[in-house]
Amino acid sequence: MSETKKSVPVRLVYDVWFQEGERTAAGVVVSVGLDEAKALIAAGKAERADPLPGE
């Protein structure tokens, strides 16, 4: 069974480097995969921009 990776929007609380040398500034809303969104939120680096699926 193929599972589609869902992107969810999060608002960055701190600057984040998704790729080396490319800073994404705090305050920006970005769409990332669900697992990455949960990891960023758990680390205190982002906050939900809308409810996560299943919540």
mmCIF file of all heavy atoms in Angstrom:
data_model
loop_
_atom_site.group_PDB
_atom_site.id
_atom_site.type_symbol
_atom_site.label_atom_id
_atom_site.label_comp_id
_atom_site.label_asym_id
_atom_site.label_seq_id
_atom_site.Cartn_x
_atom_site.Cartn_y
_atom_site.Cartn_z
ATOM 1 N N MET A 1 0.840 -1.175 0.000
ATOM 2 C CA MET A 1 0.000 0.000 0.000
ATOM 3 C C MET A 1 0.888 1.242 0.000
ATOM 4 O O MET A 1 1.790 1.371 0.802
ATOM 5 C CB MET A 1 -0.905 -0.013 1.238
ATOM 6 C CG MET A 1 -1.800 1.199 1.330
ATOM 7 S SD MET A 1 -2.825 1.208 2.824
ATOM 8 C CE MET A 1 -4.137 0.133 2.289
ATOM 9 N N SER A 2 0.636 2.164 -0.906
ATOM 10 C CA SER A 2 1.419 3.389 -1.021
ATOM 11 C C SER A 2 0.827 4.469 -0.124
ATOM 12 O O SER A 2 -0.369 4.715 -0.136
ATOM 13 C CB SER A 2 1.402 3.858 -2.480
ATOM 14 O OG SER A 2 2.039 5.097 -2.587
ATOM 15 N N GLU A 3 1.692 5.115 0.666
ATOM 16 C CA GLU A 3 1.237 6.178 1.555
ATOM 17 C C GLU A 3 1.751 7.513 1.030
ATOM 18 O O GLU A 3 2.928 7.684 0.777
ATOM 19 C CB GLU A 3 1.763 5.956 2.971
ATOM 20 C CG GLU A 3 1.229 6.952 3.954
ATOM 21 C CD GLU A 3 1.679 6.654 5.369
ATOM 22 O OE1 GLU A 3 1.718 5.482 5.750
ATOM 23 O OE2 GLU A 3 1.993 7.608 6.080
ATOM 24 N N THR A 4 0.862 8.455 0.830
ATOM 25 C CA THR A 4 1.231 9.775 0.362
ATOM 26 C C THR A 4 1.697 10.612 1.545
ATOM 27 O O THR A 4 1.036 10.645 2.570
ATOM 28 C CB THR A 4 0.023 10.470 -0.308
ATOM 29 O OG1 THR A 4 -0.442 9.639 -1.353
ATOM 30 C CG2 THR A 4 0.411 11.814 -0.868
ATOM 31 N N LYS A 5 2.834 11.272 1.370
ATOM 32 C CA LYS A 5 3.319 12.146 2.446
ATOM 33 C C LYS A 5 2.559 13.455 2.376
ATOM 34 O O LYS A 5 2.562 14.131 1.362
ATOM 35 C CB LYS A 5 4.819 12.391 2.296
ATOM 36 C CG LYS A 5 5.628 11.169 2.628
ATOM 37 C CD LYS A 5 7.078 11.511 2.780
ATOM 38 C CE LYS A 5 7.829 10.278 3.199
ATOM 39 N NZ LYS A 5 9.171 10.556 3.619
ATOM 40 N N LYS A 6 1.904 13.795 3.464
ATOM 41 C CA LYS A 6 1.102 15.008 3.526
ATOM 42 C C LYS A 6 1.962 16.155 4.032
ATOM 43 O O LYS A 6 2.723 15.998 4.979
ATOM 44 C CB LYS A 6 -0.091 14.784 4.454
ATOM 45 C CG LYS A 6 -1.015 15.971 4.530
ATOM 46 C CD LYS A 6 -2.270 15.608 5.275
ATOM 47 C CE LYS A 6 -3.157 16.820 5.412
ATOM 48 N NZ LYS A 6 -4.058 16.973 4.297
ATOM 49 N N SER A 7 1.835 17.307 3.397
ATOM 50 C CA SER A 7 2.518 18.509 3.852
ATOM 51 C C SER A 7 1.569 19.310 4.725
ATOM 52 O O SER A 7 0.378 19.404 4.433
ATOM 53 C CB SER A 7 2.960 19.360 2.666
ATOM 54 O OG SER A 7 3.973 18.711 1.952
ATOM 55 N N VAL A 8 2.120 19.852 5.789
ATOM 56 C CA VAL A 8 1.327 20.673 6.695
ATOM 57 C C VAL A 8 2.061 21.995 6.927
ATOM 58 O O VAL A 8 3.281 22.032 6.975
ATOM 59 C CB VAL A 8 1.052 19.967 8.040
ATOM 60 C CG1 VAL A 8 0.158 18.762 7.853
ATOM 61 C CG2 VAL A 8 2.327 19.552 8.717
ATOM 62 N N PRO A 9 1.317 23.087 7.084
ATOM 63 C CA PRO A 9 1.966 24.380 7.314
ATOM 64 C C PRO A 9 2.332 24.576 8.783
ATOM 65 O O PRO A 9 1.552 24.239 9.672
ATOM 66 C CB PRO A 9 0.905 25.388 6.872
ATOM 67 C CG PRO A 9 -0.392 24.677 7.090
ATOM 68 C CD PRO A 9 -0.116 23.215 6.857
ATOM 69 N N VAL A 10 3.535 25.095 9.023
ATOM 70 C CA VAL A 10 3.971 25.464 10.364
ATOM 71 C C VAL A 10 4.589 26.857 10.296
ATOM 72 O O VAL A 10 5.128 27.260 9.264
ATOM 73 C CB VAL A 10 4.995 24.471 10.977
ATOM 74 C CG1 VAL A 10 4.378 23.117 11.213
ATOM 75 C CG2 VAL A 10 6.233 24.347 10.120
ATOM 76 N N ARG A 11 4.485 27.604 11.393
ATOM 77 C CA ARG A 11 5.095 28.938 11.492
ATOM 78 C C ARG A 11 6.376 28.775 12.298
ATOM 79 O O ARG A 11 6.355 28.292 13.428
ATOM 80 C CB ARG A 11 4.147 29.915 12.188
ATOM 81 C CG ARG A 11 4.706 31.321 12.303
ATOM 82 C CD ARG A 11 3.692 32.296 12.863
ATOM 83 N NE ARG A 11 2.590 32.473 11.917
ATOM 84 C CZ ARG A 11 1.361 31.950 12.063
ATOM 85 N NH1 ARG A 11 1.054 31.229 13.115
ATOM 86 N NH2 ARG A 11 0.434 32.162 11.164
ATOM 87 N N LEU A 12 7.490 29.187 11.701
ATOM 88 C CA LEU A 12 8.776 29.045 12.367
ATOM 89 C C LEU A 12 8.919 30.065 13.489
ATOM 90 O O LEU A 12 8.627 31.245 13.311
ATOM 91 C CB LEU A 12 9.920 29.214 11.361
ATOM 92 C CG LEU A 12 9.938 28.198 10.228
ATOM 93 C CD1 LEU A 12 11.067 28.534 9.249
ATOM 94 C CD2 LEU A 12 10.082 26.780 10.753
ATOM 95 N N VAL A 13 9.370 29.595 14.645
ATOM 96 C CA VAL A 13 9.610 30.449 15.807
ATOM 97 C C VAL A 13 11.063 30.916 15.799
ATOM 98 O O VAL A 13 11.382 32.000 16.267
ATOM 99 C CB VAL A 13 9.284 29.688 17.116
ATOM 100 C CG1 VAL A 13 9.586 30.526 18.336
ATOM 101 C CG2 VAL A 13 7.823 29.247 17.120
ATOM 102 N N TYR A 14 11.949 30.092 15.254
ATOM 103 C CA TYR A 14 13.373 30.400 15.122
ATOM 104 C C TYR A 14 13.780 30.220 13.672
ATOM 105 O O TYR A 14 13.112 29.518 12.920
ATOM 106 C CB TYR A 14 14.226 29.436 15.976
ATOM 107 C CG TYR A 14 14.028 29.601 17.455
ATOM 108 C CD1 TYR A 14 13.153 28.799 18.157
ATOM 109 C CD2 TYR A 14 14.726 30.586 18.159
ATOM 110 C CE1 TYR A 14 12.962 28.955 19.519
ATOM 111 C CE2 TYR A 14 14.546 30.744 19.531
ATOM 112 C CZ TYR A 14 13.664 29.931 20.199
ATOM 113 O OH TYR A 14 13.489 30.094 21.544
ATOM 114 N N ASP A 15 14.904 30.848 13.289
ATOM 115 C CA ASP A 15 15.454 30.606 11.957
ATOM 116 C C ASP A 15 15.808 29.133 11.843
ATOM 117 O O ASP A 15 16.302 28.531 12.812
ATOM 118 C CB ASP A 15 16.712 31.439 11.724
ATOM 119 C CG ASP A 15 16.429 32.938 11.635
ATOM 120 O OD1 ASP A 15 15.248 33.326 11.656
ATOM 121 O OD2 ASP A 15 17.399 33.706 11.542
ATOM 122 N N VAL A 16 15.559 28.542 10.679
ATOM 123 C CA VAL A 16 15.832 27.126 10.458
ATOM 124 C C VAL A 16 16.585 26.972 9.143
ATOM 125 O O VAL A 16 16.315 27.680 8.171
ATOM 126 C CB VAL A 16 14.501 26.321 10.408
ATOM 127 C CG1 VAL A 16 14.756 24.865 10.061
ATOM 128 C CG2 VAL A 16 13.762 26.423 11.725
ATOM 129 N N TRP A 17 17.538 26.049 9.107
ATOM 130 C CA TRP A 17 18.280 25.738 7.902
ATOM 131 C C TRP A 17 17.805 24.378 7.403
ATOM 132 O O TRP A 17 18.209 23.338 7.920
ATOM 133 C CB TRP A 17 19.782 25.715 8.177
ATOM 134 C CG TRP A 17 20.376 27.087 8.298
ATOM 135 C CD1 TRP A 17 21.088 27.736 7.335
ATOM 136 C CD2 TRP A 17 20.315 27.975 9.408
ATOM 137 N NE1 TRP A 17 21.459 28.979 7.784
ATOM 138 C CE2 TRP A 17 20.997 29.158 9.058
ATOM 139 C CE3 TRP A 17 19.728 27.909 10.666
ATOM 140 C CZ2 TRP A 17 21.126 30.240 9.916
ATOM 141 C CZ3 TRP A 17 19.847 28.994 11.518
ATOM 142 C CH2 TRP A 17 20.546 30.136 11.150
ATOM 143 N N PHE A 18 16.896 24.381 6.413
ATOM 144 C CA PHE A 18 16.407 23.124 5.857
ATOM 145 C C PHE A 18 17.462 22.508 4.939
ATOM 146 O O PHE A 18 17.561 21.302 4.822
ATOM 147 C CB PHE A 18 15.102 23.333 5.075
ATOM 148 C CG PHE A 18 13.937 23.651 5.981
ATOM 149 C CD1 PHE A 18 13.397 24.925 6.022
ATOM 150 C CD2 PHE A 18 13.386 22.673 6.795
ATOM 151 C CE1 PHE A 18 12.323 25.217 6.855
ATOM 152 C CE2 PHE A 18 12.323 22.950 7.626
ATOM 153 C CZ PHE A 18 11.787 24.230 7.657
ATOM 154 N N GLN A 19 18.236 23.374 4.267
ATOM 155 C CA GLN A 19 19.353 22.927 3.439
ATOM 156 C C GLN A 19 20.563 23.759 3.839
ATOM 157 O O GLN A 19 20.427 24.931 4.200
ATOM 158 C CB GLN A 19 19.053 23.141 1.956
ATOM 159 C CG GLN A 19 17.902 22.314 1.442
ATOM 160 C CD GLN A 19 17.618 22.578 -0.029
ATOM 161 O OE1 GLN A 19 18.402 23.210 -0.723
ATOM 162 N NE2 GLN A 19 16.497 22.083 -0.498
ATOM 163 N N GLU A 20 21.734 23.163 3.759
ATOM 164 C CA GLU A 20 22.946 23.865 4.163
ATOM 165 C C GLU A 20 23.095 25.162 3.371
ATOM 166 O O GLU A 20 22.972 25.174 2.153
ATOM 167 C CB GLU A 20 24.171 22.975 3.940
ATOM 168 C CG GLU A 20 25.423 23.565 4.518
ATOM 169 C CD GLU A 20 26.602 22.621 4.460
ATOM 170 O OE1 GLU A 20 26.372 21.401 4.468
ATOM 171 O OE2 GLU A 20 27.723 23.115 4.408
ATOM 172 N N GLY A 21 23.312 26.255 4.091
ATOM 173 C CA GLY A 21 23.512 27.542 3.458
ATOM 174 C C GLY A 21 22.228 28.279 3.104
ATOM 175 O O GLY A 21 22.292 29.395 2.598
ATOM 176 N N GLU A 22 21.062 27.694 3.358
ATOM 177 C CA GLU A 22 19.791 28.340 3.040
ATOM 178 C C GLU A 22 18.973 28.534 4.311
ATOM 179 O O GLU A 22 18.326 27.614 4.780
ATOM 180 C CB GLU A 22 18.992 27.501 2.039
ATOM 181 C CG GLU A 22 19.590 27.488 0.654
ATOM 182 C CD GLU A 22 18.695 26.804 -0.361
ATOM 183 O OE1 GLU A 22 17.463 26.849 -0.230
ATOM 184 O OE2 GLU A 22 19.259 26.208 -1.286
ATOM 185 N N ARG A 23 19.029 29.753 4.855
ATOM 186 C CA ARG A 23 18.308 30.071 6.087
ATOM 187 C C ARG A 23 16.869 30.435 5.767
ATOM 188 O O ARG A 23 16.584 31.198 4.858
ATOM 189 C CB ARG A 23 18.987 31.241 6.799
ATOM 190 C CG ARG A 23 18.274 31.660 8.076
ATOM 191 C CD ARG A 23 19.038 32.756 8.802
ATOM 192 N NE ARG A 23 19.147 33.967 8.028
ATOM 193 C CZ ARG A 23 18.293 34.994 8.121
ATOM 194 N NH1 ARG A 23 17.275 34.936 8.945
ATOM 195 N NH2 ARG A 23 18.457 36.052 7.382
ATOM 196 N N THR A 24 15.947 29.890 6.539
ATOM 197 C CA THR A 24 14.541 30.269 6.469
ATOM 198 C C THR A 24 14.247 31.036 7.747
ATOM 199 O O THR A 24 14.439 30.515 8.844
ATOM 200 C CB THR A 24 13.625 29.029 6.350
ATOM 201 O OG1 THR A 24 14.043 28.255 5.209
ATOM 202 C CG2 THR A 24 12.183 29.436 6.170
ATOM 203 N N ALA A 25 13.825 32.283 7.603
ATOM 204 C CA ALA A 25 13.680 33.190 8.742
ATOM 205 C C ALA A 25 12.502 32.841 9.644
ATOM 206 O O ALA A 25 11.487 32.303 9.184
ATOM 207 C CB ALA A 25 13.520 34.617 8.236
ATOM 208 N N ALA A 26 12.639 33.159 10.912
ATOM 209 C CA ALA A 26 11.557 32.996 11.883
ATOM 210 C C ALA A 26 10.365 33.838 11.448
ATOM 211 O O ALA A 26 10.526 34.893 10.843
ATOM 212 C CB ALA A 26 12.031 33.426 13.269
ATOM 213 N N GLY A 27 9.160 33.348 11.747
ATOM 214 C CA GLY A 27 7.938 34.058 11.402
ATOM 215 C C GLY A 27 7.340 33.640 10.076
ATOM 216 O O GLY A 27 6.197 33.951 9.778
ATOM 217 N N VAL A 28 8.108 32.907 9.279
ATOM 218 C CA VAL A 28 7.642 32.452 7.971
ATOM 219 C C VAL A 28 6.804 31.192 8.146
ATOM 220 O O VAL A 28 7.111 30.343 8.975
ATOM 221 C CB VAL A 28 8.851 32.165 7.040
ATOM 222 C CG1 VAL A 28 8.416 31.550 5.729
ATOM 223 C CG2 VAL A 28 9.638 33.430 6.801
ATOM 224 N N VAL A 29 5.729 31.071 7.366
ATOM 225 C CA VAL A 29 4.933 29.843 7.350
ATOM 226 C C VAL A 29 5.440 28.994 6.195
ATOM 227 O O VAL A 29 5.496 29.463 5.053
ATOM 228 C CB VAL A 29 3.428 30.149 7.183
ATOM 229 C CG1 VAL A 29 2.632 28.863 7.043
ATOM 230 C CG2 VAL A 29 2.915 30.957 8.362
ATOM 231 N N VAL A 30 5.860 27.758 6.508
ATOM 232 C CA VAL A 30 6.352 26.835 5.491
ATOM 233 C C VAL A 30 5.556 25.538 5.552
ATOM 234 O O VAL A 30 5.006 25.189 6.596
ATOM 235 C CB VAL A 30 7.860 26.524 5.683
ATOM 236 C CG1 VAL A 30 8.704 27.766 5.494
ATOM 237 C CG2 VAL A 30 8.129 25.909 7.037
ATOM 238 N N SER A 31 5.494 24.831 4.432
ATOM 239 C CA SER A 31 4.856 23.518 4.402
ATOM 240 C C SER A 31 5.939 22.454 4.451
ATOM 241 O O SER A 31 6.866 22.482 3.634
ATOM 242 C CB SER A 31 4.017 23.354 3.130
ATOM 243 O OG SER A 31 2.878 24.169 3.199
ATOM 244 N N VAL A 32 5.828 21.563 5.419
ATOM 245 C CA VAL A 32 6.789 20.466 5.579
ATOM 246 C C VAL A 32 6.015 19.173 5.779
ATOM 247 O O VAL A 32 4.818 19.192 6.053
ATOM 248 C CB VAL A 32 7.746 20.718 6.770
ATOM 249 C CG1 VAL A 32 8.627 21.929 6.517
ATOM 250 C CG2 VAL A 32 6.980 20.894 8.064
ATOM 251 N N GLY A 33 6.698 18.052 5.687
ATOM 252 C CA GLY A 33 6.063 16.759 5.932
ATOM 253 C C GLY A 33 5.577 16.663 7.371
ATOM 254 O O GLY A 33 6.089 17.340 8.271
ATOM 255 N N LEU A 34 4.600 15.820 7.600
ATOM 256 C CA LEU A 34 3.994 15.680 8.924
ATOM 257 C C LEU A 34 5.022 15.326 9.995
ATOM 258 O O LEU A 34 5.044 15.936 11.064
ATOM 259 C CB LEU A 34 2.882 14.628 8.878
ATOM 260 C CG LEU A 34 2.113 14.388 10.165
ATOM 261 C CD1 LEU A 34 1.466 15.671 10.666
ATOM 262 C CD2 LEU A 34 1.065 13.314 9.964
ATOM 263 N N ASP A 35 5.911 14.370 9.718
ATOM 264 C CA ASP A 35 6.923 13.982 10.705
ATOM 265 C C ASP A 35 7.870 15.139 11.021
ATOM 266 O O ASP A 35 8.223 15.368 12.171
ATOM 267 C CB ASP A 35 7.725 12.772 10.209
ATOM 268 C CG ASP A 35 6.903 11.497 10.202
ATOM 269 O OD1 ASP A 35 5.871 11.434 10.910
ATOM 270 O OD2 ASP A 35 7.291 10.555 9.485
ATOM 271 N N GLU A 36 8.283 15.872 9.982
ATOM 272 C CA GLU A 36 9.181 17.011 10.207
ATOM 273 C C GLU A 36 8.466 18.117 10.982
ATOM 274 O O GLU A 36 9.047 18.748 11.858
ATOM 275 C CB GLU A 36 9.704 17.549 8.873
ATOM 276 C CG GLU A 36 10.768 18.613 9.052
ATOM 277 C CD GLU A 36 11.481 18.977 7.772
ATOM 278 O OE1 GLU A 36 11.009 18.626 6.679
ATOM 279 O OE2 GLU A 36 12.522 19.634 7.880
ATOM 280 N N ALA A 37 7.184 18.334 10.684
ATOM 281 C CA ALA A 37 6.399 19.333 11.413
ATOM 282 C C ALA A 37 6.335 18.977 12.888
ATOM 283 O O ALA A 37 6.558 19.838 13.754
ATOM 284 C CB ALA A 37 4.988 19.431 10.833
ATOM 285 N N LYS A 38 6.044 17.720 13.195
ATOM 286 C CA LYS A 38 5.974 17.294 14.597
ATOM 287 C C LYS A 38 7.319 17.454 15.295
ATOM 288 O O LYS A 38 7.385 17.863 16.448
ATOM 289 C CB LYS A 38 5.493 15.846 14.681
ATOM 290 C CG LYS A 38 4.012 15.703 14.359
ATOM 291 C CD LYS A 38 3.568 14.264 14.488
ATOM 292 C CE LYS A 38 2.082 14.116 14.234
ATOM 293 N NZ LYS A 38 1.626 12.733 14.393
ATOM 294 N N ALA A 39 8.419 17.144 14.588
ATOM 295 C CA ALA A 39 9.757 17.273 15.173
ATOM 296 C C ALA A 39 10.093 18.740 15.448
ATOM 297 O O ALA A 39 10.629 19.068 16.513
ATOM 298 C CB ALA A 39 10.800 16.649 14.247
ATOM 299 N N LEU A 40 9.786 19.633 14.505
ATOM 300 C CA LEU A 40 10.055 21.058 14.700
ATOM 301 C C LEU A 40 9.243 21.615 15.868
ATOM 302 O O LEU A 40 9.752 22.384 16.683
ATOM 303 C CB LEU A 40 9.730 21.847 13.428
ATOM 304 C CG LEU A 40 10.716 21.687 12.271
ATOM 305 C CD1 LEU A 40 10.122 22.261 10.983
ATOM 306 C CD2 LEU A 40 12.039 22.354 12.598
ATOM 307 N N ILE A 41 7.984 21.204 15.966
ATOM 308 C CA ILE A 41 7.120 21.672 17.060
ATOM 309 C C ILE A 41 7.631 21.145 18.400
ATOM 310 O O ILE A 41 7.724 21.882 19.380
ATOM 311 C CB ILE A 41 5.658 21.266 16.799
ATOM 312 C CG1 ILE A 41 5.112 22.043 15.594
ATOM 313 C CG2 ILE A 41 4.794 21.502 18.042
ATOM 314 C CD1 ILE A 41 3.803 21.517 15.043
ATOM 315 N N ALA A 42 7.996 19.864 18.457
ATOM 316 C CA ALA A 42 8.502 19.261 19.692
ATOM 317 C C ALA A 42 9.797 19.932 20.151
ATOM 318 O O ALA A 42 10.039 20.067 21.347
ATOM 319 C CB ALA A 42 8.718 17.762 19.498
ATOM 320 N N ALA A 43 10.627 20.378 19.188
ATOM 321 C CA ALA A 43 11.890 21.035 19.517
ATOM 322 C C ALA A 43 11.695 22.503 19.869
ATOM 323 O O ALA A 43 12.658 23.193 20.228
ATOM 324 C CB ALA A 43 12.858 20.896 18.344
ATOM 325 N N GLY A 44 10.466 23.009 19.748
ATOM 326 C CA GLY A 44 10.190 24.401 20.058
ATOM 327 C C GLY A 44 10.615 25.362 18.966
ATOM 328 O O GLY A 44 10.696 26.565 19.186
ATOM 329 N N LYS A 45 10.886 24.852 17.770
ATOM 330 C CA LYS A 45 11.347 25.694 16.666
ATOM 331 C C LYS A 45 10.223 26.170 15.765
ATOM 332 O O LYS A 45 10.433 27.013 14.905
ATOM 333 C CB LYS A 45 12.383 24.941 15.833
ATOM 334 C CG LYS A 45 13.645 24.642 16.621
ATOM 335 C CD LYS A 45 14.680 23.982 15.775
ATOM 336 C CE LYS A 45 15.927 23.759 16.608
ATOM 337 N NZ LYS A 45 17.045 23.296 15.815
ATOM 338 N N ALA A 46 9.022 25.605 15.952
ATOM 339 C CA ALA A 46 7.876 25.987 15.120
ATOM 340 C C ALA A 46 6.600 25.808 15.922
ATOM 341 O O ALA A 46 6.590 25.155 16.964
ATOM 342 C CB ALA A 46 7.834 25.129 13.855
ATOM 343 N N GLU A 47 5.532 26.404 15.402
ATOM 344 C CA GLU A 47 4.215 26.223 15.994
ATOM 345 C C GLU A 47 3.232 25.904 14.878
ATOM 346 O O GLU A 47 3.486 26.211 13.709
ATOM 347 C CB GLU A 47 3.784 27.479 16.750
ATOM 348 C CG GLU A 47 3.707 28.721 15.884
ATOM 349 C CD GLU A 47 3.521 30.000 16.675
ATOM 350 O OE1 GLU A 47 3.704 29.983 17.905
ATOM 351 O OE2 GLU A 47 3.203 31.014 16.040
ATOM 352 N N ARG A 48 2.145 25.292 15.243
ATOM 353 C CA ARG A 48 1.151 24.917 14.247
ATOM 354 C C ARG A 48 0.553 26.153 13.588
ATOM 355 O O ARG A 48 0.231 27.121 14.254
ATOM 356 C CB ARG A 48 0.042 24.106 14.889
ATOM 357 C CG ARG A 48 0.507 22.739 15.305
ATOM 358 C CD ARG A 48 -0.418 21.979 16.190
ATOM 359 N NE ARG A 48 -1.824 22.088 15.860
ATOM 360 C CZ ARG A 48 -2.764 21.360 16.429
ATOM 361 N NH1 ARG A 48 -2.438 20.482 17.352
ATOM 362 N NH2 ARG A 48 -4.013 21.507 16.108
ATOM 363 N N ALA A 49 0.419 26.081 12.271
ATOM 364 C CA ALA A 49 -0.236 27.160 11.545
ATOM 365 C C ALA A 49 -1.700 26.776 11.299
ATOM 366 O O ALA A 49 -2.506 27.617 10.937
ATOM 367 C CB ALA A 49 0.475 27.442 10.219
ATOM 368 N N ASP A 50 -2.018 25.503 11.487
ATOM 369 C CA ASP A 50 -3.392 24.988 11.465
ATOM 370 C C ASP A 50 -3.365 23.637 12.171
ATOM 371 O O ASP A 50 -2.292 23.108 12.427
ATOM 372 C CB ASP A 50 -3.936 24.876 10.040
ATOM 373 C CG ASP A 50 -3.284 23.780 9.214
ATOM 374 O OD1 ASP A 50 -2.226 23.273 9.593
ATOM 375 O OD2 ASP A 50 -3.865 23.429 8.180
ATOM 376 N N PRO A 51 -4.487 23.078 12.516
ATOM 377 C CA PRO A 51 -4.483 21.785 13.227
ATOM 378 C C PRO A 51 -3.820 20.682 12.404
ATOM 379 O O PRO A 51 -4.023 20.607 11.199
ATOM 380 C CB PRO A 51 -5.972 21.483 13.428
ATOM 381 C CG PRO A 51 -6.649 22.800 13.299
ATOM 382 C CD PRO A 51 -5.833 23.608 12.350
ATOM 383 N N LEU A 52 -3.031 19.859 13.066
ATOM 384 C CA LEU A 52 -2.394 18.729 12.383
ATOM 385 C C LEU A 52 -3.459 17.664 12.094
ATOM 386 O O LEU A 52 -4.435 17.540 12.842
ATOM 387 C CB LEU A 52 -1.300 18.123 13.263
ATOM 388 C CG LEU A 52 -0.090 19.019 13.514
ATOM 389 C CD1 LEU A 52 0.875 18.332 14.470
ATOM 390 C CD2 LEU A 52 0.629 19.352 12.223
ATOM 391 N N PRO A 53 -3.288 16.905 11.026
ATOM 392 C CA PRO A 53 -4.261 15.859 10.708
ATOM 393 C C PRO A 53 -4.445 14.896 11.865
ATOM 394 O O PRO A 53 -3.486 14.513 12.526
ATOM 395 C CB PRO A 53 -3.636 15.139 9.515
ATOM 396 C CG PRO A 53 -2.704 16.137 8.920
ATOM 397 C CD PRO A 53 -2.203 16.974 10.067
ATOM 398 N N GLY A 54 -5.664 14.539 12.142
ATOM 399 C CA GLY A 54 -5.967 13.582 13.212
ATOM 400 C C GLY A 54 -6.099 14.212 14.578
ATOM 401 O O GLY A 54 -6.289 13.520 15.570
ATOM 402 N N GLU A 55 -5.987 15.519 14.678
ATOM 403 C CA GLU A 55 -6.108 16.185 15.974
ATOM 404 C C GLU A 55 -7.287 17.114 15.995
ATOM 405 O O GLU A 55 -7.701 17.648 15.045
ATOM 406 C CB GLU A 55 -4.839 16.946 16.317
ATOM 407 C CG GLU A 55 -3.679 16.001 16.564
ATOM 408 C CD GLU A 55 -2.439 16.730 17.034
ATOM 409 O OE1 GLU A 55 -2.433 17.970 17.124
ATOM 410 O OE2 GLU A 55 -1.475 16.062 17.312
#
